[in-house]
Amino acid sequence: MDVKNCRQCGRLYNYIGGSYRNLCPDCISKLEDKFQEVKDYIEAHTGASIHEISTDCEVSSKQIEQWIREDRLTFADDSPIGIPCEACGVTIKSGRFCENCKSTMTQKLNSMYQSPSSDTTVKTDRSNPRMRFLDK
């Protein structure tokens, strides 16, 4: 059993894991209520900025940005709200990376899983039972 102190209220609780690290169930419930309040506010005030949402809903702008990065909040293209891409800094409406950086990362990962080049060979001299090395 993993017992921790809630980072927000300081109470002890049984830590189970989840998306809200180091928060007790009561604080998680309060945060989820705030999320729903922010979501309803955004639907009612489509042109509001992060600062306005933060002030009117009494939620930190850092928390709103976290919800945007987690793809829990998404904004239309004409919305003034945007956060920077973590890789290149371009303004995006949700997530962590822009489409260009996502495709670049996908290409890099795909190239890692392609078959190795033909210039790499393995010595197969079985007459001497020692360690074998790759030749390049």
Side-chain angles (χ1 to χ4, degrees):
M1 180 165 81
D2 195 11
V3 178
K4 292 187 177 186
N5 284 38
C6 177
R7 101 183 125 143
Q8 191 164 352
C9 68
R11 292 188 328 209
L12 286 173
Y13 71 100
N14 186 15
Y15 178 73
I16 311 171
S19 61
Y20 293 110
R21 296 180 179 207
N22 302 325
L23 291 179
C24 68
D26 291 338
C27 290
I28 291 172
S29 176
K30 290 176 188 174
L31 195 58
E32 284 300 314
D33 292 342
K34 280 293 184 184
F35 172 75
Q36 193 60 43
E37 181 183 336
V38 167
K39 187 176 172 184
D40 294 340
Y41 182 87
I42 291 170
E43 289 175 1
H45 303 89
T46 55
S49 67
I50 289 181
H51 180 68
E52 291 172 6
I53 297 168
S54 173
T55 305
D56 293 344
C57 295
E58 298 176 356
V59 177
S60 70
S61 57
K62 185 178 177 181
Q63 181 63 55
I64 295 171
E65 288 180 12
Q66 180 181 350
W67 286 329
I68 295 170
R69 293 217 182 274
E70 292 173 352
D71 278 333
R72 293 186 72 190
L73 292 175
T74 305
F75 298 95
D77 291 334
D78 60 346
S79 174
I81 296 177
I83 57 173
C85 170
E86 289 183 8
C88 68
V90 171
T91 303
I92 55 175
K93 299 297 180 182
S94 70
R96 296 177 56 197
F97 303 105
C98 65
E99 292 301 320
N100 189 23
C101 292
K102 285 180 189 177
S103 66
T104 302
M105 283 187 258
T106 302
Q107 289 172 356
K108 286 181 181 179
L109 285 171
N110 285 339
S111 68
M112 289 175 55
Y113 289 109
Q114 291 176 352
S115 62
S117 60
S118 61
D119 63 343
T120 303
T121 58
V122 177
K123 288 183 182 180
T124 57
D125 183 17
R126 303 267 180 189
S127 62
N128 194 353
R130 293 188 294 165
M131 188 178 288
R132 294 171 184 80
F133 299 95
L134 291 174
D135 284 338
K136 289 189 176 185

PDB file of all heavy atoms in Angstrom, residues 3-20:
ATOM      1  N   VAL A   3       1.083   5.077   0.623  1.00  0.00           N
ATOM      2  CA  VAL A   3       0.411   6.206   1.262  1.00  0.00           C
ATOM      3  C   VAL A   3       1.234   7.458   0.993  1.00  0.00           C
ATOM      4  O   VAL A   3       2.450   7.469   1.189  1.00  0.00           O
ATOM      5  CB  VAL A   3       0.257   5.972   2.782  1.00  0.00           C
ATOM      6  CG1 VAL A   3      -0.384   7.169   3.451  1.00  0.00           C
ATOM      7  CG2 VAL A   3      -0.561   4.719   3.040  1.00  0.00           C
ATOM      8  N   LYS A   4       0.566   8.512   0.513  1.00  0.00           N
ATOM      9  CA  LYS A   4       1.242   9.761   0.194  1.00  0.00           C
ATOM     10  C   LYS A   4       0.454  10.934   0.759  1.00  0.00           C
ATOM     11  O   LYS A   4      -0.711  10.799   1.108  1.00  0.00           O
ATOM     12  CB  LYS A   4       1.374   9.947  -1.321  1.00  0.00           C
ATOM     13  CG  LYS A   4       2.300   8.974  -1.986  1.00  0.00           C
ATOM     14  CD  LYS A   4       2.494   9.328  -3.436  1.00  0.00           C
ATOM     15  CE  LYS A   4       3.501   8.387  -4.084  1.00  0.00           C
ATOM     16  NZ  LYS A   4       3.813   8.791  -5.442  1.00  0.00           N
ATOM     17  N   ASN A   5       1.122  12.084   0.796  1.00  0.00           N
ATOM     18  CA  ASN A   5       0.451  13.320   1.149  1.00  0.00           C
ATOM     19  C   ASN A   5      -0.016  13.995  -0.130  1.00  0.00           C
ATOM     20  O   ASN A   5       0.730  14.058  -1.113  1.00  0.00           O
ATOM     21  CB  ASN A   5       1.396  14.265   1.877  1.00  0.00           C
ATOM     22  CG  ASN A   5       1.633  13.859   3.297  1.00  0.00           C
ATOM     23  OD1 ASN A   5       1.730  12.676   3.592  1.00  0.00           O
ATOM     24  ND2 ASN A   5       1.729  14.824   4.175  1.00  0.00           N
ATOM     25  N   CYS A   6      -1.234  14.524  -0.094  1.00  0.00           N
ATOM     26  CA  CYS A   6      -1.763  15.254  -1.238  1.00  0.00           C
ATOM     27  C   CYS A   6      -0.943  16.529  -1.406  1.00  0.00           C
ATOM     28  O   CYS A   6      -0.699  17.251  -0.440  1.00  0.00           O
ATOM     29  CB  CYS A   6      -3.240  15.601  -1.010  1.00  0.00           C
ATOM     30  SG  CYS A   6      -3.966  16.590  -2.327  1.00  0.00           S
ATOM     31  N   ARG A   7      -0.519  16.821  -2.609  1.00  0.00           N
ATOM     32  CA  ARG A   7       0.327  17.991  -2.830  1.00  0.00           C
ATOM     33  C   ARG A   7      -0.489  19.281  -2.760  1.00  0.00           C
ATOM     34  O   ARG A   7       0.076  20.347  -2.606  1.00  0.00           O
ATOM     35  CB  ARG A   7       1.070  17.848  -4.145  1.00  0.00           C
ATOM     36  CG  ARG A   7       0.501  18.611  -5.293  1.00  0.00           C
ATOM     37  CD  ARG A   7       1.222  18.371  -6.558  1.00  0.00           C
ATOM     38  NE  ARG A   7       0.207  17.948  -7.489  1.00  0.00           N
ATOM     39  CZ  ARG A   7       0.171  18.270  -8.744  1.00  0.00           C
ATOM     40  NH1 ARG A   7       1.133  18.932  -9.269  1.00  0.00           N
ATOM     41  NH2 ARG A   7      -0.815  17.893  -9.495  1.00  0.00           N
ATOM     42  N   GLN A   8      -1.812  19.180  -2.842  1.00  0.00           N
ATOM     43  CA  GLN A   8      -2.638  20.379  -2.806  1.00  0.00           C
ATOM     44  C   GLN A   8      -3.152  20.672  -1.391  1.00  0.00           C
ATOM     45  O   GLN A   8      -3.028  21.788  -0.909  1.00  0.00           O
ATOM     46  CB  GLN A   8      -3.810  20.251  -3.770  1.00  0.00           C
ATOM     47  CG  GLN A   8      -4.541  21.544  -3.987  1.00  0.00           C
ATOM     48  CD  GLN A   8      -5.421  21.472  -5.220  1.00  0.00           C
ATOM     49  OE1 GLN A   8      -5.374  20.509  -5.986  1.00  0.00           O
ATOM     50  NE2 GLN A   8      -6.216  22.482  -5.420  1.00  0.00           N
ATOM     51  N   CYS A   9      -3.716  19.685  -0.720  1.00  0.00           N
ATOM     52  CA  CYS A   9      -4.308  19.934   0.608  1.00  0.00           C
ATOM     53  C   CYS A   9      -3.472  19.380   1.749  1.00  0.00           C
ATOM     54  O   CYS A   9      -3.691  19.726   2.898  1.00  0.00           O
ATOM     55  CB  CYS A   9      -5.729  19.375   0.674  1.00  0.00           C
ATOM     56  SG  CYS A   9      -5.812  17.573   0.624  1.00  0.00           S
ATOM     57  N   GLY A  10      -2.530  18.477   1.466  1.00  0.00           N
ATOM     58  CA  GLY A  10      -1.642  17.955   2.492  1.00  0.00           C
ATOM     59  C   GLY A  10      -2.147  16.733   3.237  1.00  0.00           C
ATOM     60  O   GLY A  10      -1.434  16.187   4.077  1.00  0.00           O
ATOM     61  N   ARG A  11      -3.361  16.277   2.958  1.00  0.00           N
ATOM     62  CA  ARG A  11      -3.903  15.109   3.652  1.00  0.00           C
ATOM     63  C   ARG A  11      -3.258  13.825   3.155  1.00  0.00           C
ATOM     64  O   ARG A  11      -2.800  13.747   2.017  1.00  0.00           O
ATOM     65  CB  ARG A  11      -5.410  15.018   3.443  1.00  0.00           C
ATOM     66  CG  ARG A  11      -6.159  16.117   4.128  1.00  0.00           C
ATOM     67  CD  ARG A  11      -7.645  15.912   4.077  1.00  0.00           C
ATOM     68  NE  ARG A  11      -8.078  15.230   2.871  1.00  0.00           N
ATOM     69  CZ  ARG A  11      -9.257  15.386   2.306  1.00  0.00           C
ATOM     70  NH1 ARG A  11     -10.125  16.200   2.828  1.00  0.00           N
ATOM     71  NH2 ARG A  11      -9.581  14.733   1.222  1.00  0.00           N
ATOM     72  N   LEU A  12      -3.242  12.811   4.017  1.00  0.00           N
ATOM     73  CA  LEU A  12      -2.752  11.491   3.622  1.00  0.00           C
ATOM     74  C   LEU A  12      -3.835  10.766   2.833  1.00  0.00           C
ATOM     75  O   LEU A  12      -5.021  10.896   3.122  1.00  0.00           O
ATOM     76  CB  LEU A  12      -2.401  10.653   4.854  1.00  0.00           C
ATOM     77  CG  LEU A  12      -1.130  11.028   5.595  1.00  0.00           C
ATOM     78  CD1 LEU A  12      -1.030  10.225   6.874  1.00  0.00           C
ATOM     79  CD2 LEU A  12       0.089  10.791   4.734  1.00  0.00           C
ATOM     80  N   TYR A  13      -3.405  10.002   1.839  1.00  0.00           N
ATOM     81  CA  TYR A  13      -4.349   9.207   1.056  1.00  0.00           C
ATOM     82  C   TYR A  13      -3.616   7.997   0.486  1.00  0.00           C
ATOM     83  O   TYR A  13      -2.389   7.972   0.426  1.00  0.00           O
ATOM     84  CB  TYR A  13      -4.976  10.042  -0.071  1.00  0.00           C
ATOM     85  CG  TYR A  13      -4.028  10.374  -1.196  1.00  0.00           C
ATOM     86  CD1 TYR A  13      -4.031   9.651  -2.377  1.00  0.00           C
ATOM     87  CD2 TYR A  13      -3.104  11.400  -1.073  1.00  0.00           C
ATOM     88  CE1 TYR A  13      -3.156   9.934  -3.406  1.00  0.00           C
ATOM     89  CE2 TYR A  13      -2.225  11.696  -2.089  1.00  0.00           C
ATOM     90  CZ  TYR A  13      -2.262  10.965  -3.247  1.00  0.00           C
ATOM     91  OH  TYR A  13      -1.374  11.250  -4.259  1.00  0.00           O
ATOM     92  N   ASN A  14      -4.378   7.001   0.085  1.00  0.00           N
ATOM     93  CA  ASN A  14      -3.827   5.797  -0.518  1.00  0.00           C
ATOM     94  C   ASN A  14      -3.625   6.049  -2.003  1.00  0.00           C
ATOM     95  O   ASN A  14      -4.586   6.164  -2.757  1.00  0.00           O
ATOM     96  CB  ASN A  14      -4.781   4.616  -0.288  1.00  0.00           C
ATOM     97  CG  ASN A  14      -4.199   3.316  -0.766  1.00  0.00           C
ATOM     98  OD1 ASN A  14      -3.004   3.223  -1.023  1.00  0.00           O
ATOM     99  ND2 ASN A  14      -5.036   2.305  -0.875  1.00  0.00           N
ATOM    100  N   TYR A  15      -2.377   6.124  -2.435  1.00  0.00           N
ATOM    101  CA  TYR A  15      -2.055   6.439  -3.824  1.00  0.00           C
ATOM    102  C   TYR A  15      -2.286   5.213  -4.697  1.00  0.00           C
ATOM    103  O   TYR A  15      -1.748   4.140  -4.448  1.00  0.00           O
ATOM    104  CB  TYR A  15      -0.602   6.895  -3.935  1.00  0.00           C
ATOM    105  CG  TYR A  15      -0.157   7.205  -5.330  1.00  0.00           C
ATOM    106  CD1 TYR A  15      -0.599   8.343  -5.974  1.00  0.00           C
ATOM    107  CD2 TYR A  15       0.709   6.353  -6.013  1.00  0.00           C
ATOM    108  CE1 TYR A  15      -0.191   8.641  -7.260  1.00  0.00           C
ATOM    109  CE2 TYR A  15       1.119   6.642  -7.294  1.00  0.00           C
ATOM    110  CZ  TYR A  15       0.667   7.784  -7.912  1.00  0.00           C
ATOM    111  OH  TYR A  15       1.062   8.071  -9.193  1.00  0.00           O
ATOM    112  N   ILE A  16      -3.102   5.385  -5.748  1.00  0.00           N
ATOM    113  CA  ILE A  16      -3.407   4.285  -6.661  1.00  0.00           C
ATOM    114  C   ILE A  16      -2.752   4.518  -8.010  1.00  0.00           C
ATOM    115  O   ILE A  16      -2.514   3.602  -8.760  1.00  0.00           O
ATOM    116  CB  ILE A  16      -4.931   4.143  -6.862  1.00  0.00           C
ATOM    117  CG1 ILE A  16      -5.644   4.138  -5.534  1.00  0.00           C
ATOM    118  CG2 ILE A  16      -5.268   2.859  -7.596  1.00  0.00           C
ATOM    119  CD1 ILE A  16      -7.146   4.225  -5.649  1.00  0.00           C
ATOM    120  N   GLY A  17      -2.459   5.750  -8.342  1.00  0.00           N
ATOM    121  CA  GLY A  17      -1.922   6.101  -9.648  1.00  0.00           C
ATOM    122  C   GLY A  17      -2.978   6.850 -10.430  1.00  0.00           C
ATOM    123  O   GLY A  17      -4.064   7.130  -9.935  1.00  0.00           O
ATOM    124  N   GLY A  18      -2.666   7.197 -11.633  1.00  0.00           N
ATOM    125  CA  GLY A  18      -3.634   7.886 -12.462  1.00  0.00           C
ATOM    126  C   GLY A  18      -3.048   9.149 -13.073  1.00  0.00           C
ATOM    127  O   GLY A  18      -1.862   9.456 -12.921  1.00  0.00           O
ATOM    128  N   SER A  19      -3.902   9.898 -13.759  1.00  0.00           N
ATOM    129  CA  SER A  19      -3.422  11.067 -14.484  1.00  0.00           C
ATOM    130  C   SER A  19      -3.102  12.246 -13.579  1.00  0.00           C
ATOM    131  O   SER A  19      -2.314  13.099 -13.928  1.00  0.00           O
ATOM    132  CB  SER A  19      -4.453  11.479 -15.539  1.00  0.00           C
ATOM    133  OG  SER A  19      -5.666  11.808 -14.895  1.00  0.00           O
ATOM    134  N   TYR A  20      -3.727  12.317 -12.403  1.00  0.00           N
ATOM    135  CA  TYR A  20      -3.429  13.399 -11.472  1.00  0.00           C
ATOM    136  C   TYR A  20      -2.480  12.874 -10.408  1.00  0.00           C
ATOM    137  O   TYR A  20      -2.879  12.233  -9.443  1.00  0.00           O
ATOM    138  CB  TYR A  20      -4.710  13.930 -10.825  1.00  0.00           C
ATOM    139  CG  TYR A  20      -5.610  14.630 -11.790  1.00  0.00           C
ATOM    140  CD1 TYR A  20      -6.817  14.069 -12.178  1.00  0.00           C
ATOM    141  CD2 TYR A  20      -5.245  15.852 -12.333  1.00  0.00           C
ATOM    142  CE1 TYR A  20      -7.645  14.718 -13.068  1.00  0.00           C
ATOM    143  CE2 TYR A  20      -6.066  16.503 -13.228  1.00  0.00           C
ATOM    144  CZ  TYR A  20      -7.264  15.929 -13.591  1.00  0.00           C
ATOM    145  OH  TYR A  20      -8.072  16.577 -14.479  1.00  0.00           O
TER     146      TYR A  20
END
